[in-house]
Amino acid sequence: MKYQYQTQGTCSKLIDIEIDPATGLIADVRFTGGCNGNLQGIGLLVKGMKPSEVIDRLKGVRCGNRPTSCPDQLACALASIKE
């Protein structure tokens, strides 16, 4: 299943997420905008993980003095998918 999440408060503007319906694991994550290399790295690191594990690890990560970050927004996106 493919999902698209519009971020809030970050340099990236969108997160495209693909969840493998057979396993429930993250198949792909791609960010639009933001720090390209770092966000590609995050996408590769979470590939094959359970969404709940990614949420637990990334929820609350901040970028500088901002109340959120791209990793935190990925956690928010995955939480909204779980609902």
Side-chain angles (χ1 to χ4, degrees), residues 54-74:
V54 174
I55 293 167
D56 290 344
R57 289 183 181 202
L58 300 182
K59 183 102 177 120
V61 172
R62 297 176 58 157
C63 184
N65 61 357
R66 295 178 185 182
T68 190
S69 65
C70 293
D72 181 59
Q73 288 294 293
L74 175 56

Side-chain angles (χ1 to χ4, degrees), residues 37-49:
N38 291 333
L39 297 175
Q40 282 183 51
I42 290 170
L44 292 170
L45 288 170
V46 302
K47 188 174 182 178
M49 291 178 68

Side-chain angles (χ1 to χ4, degrees), residues 7 14 20-22 24 27-28 31-32 34 44 58-59:
T7 61
L14 285 172
D20 182 334
D28 193 36
F31 290 82
T32 301
L44 292 170
L58 300 182
K59 183 102 177 120

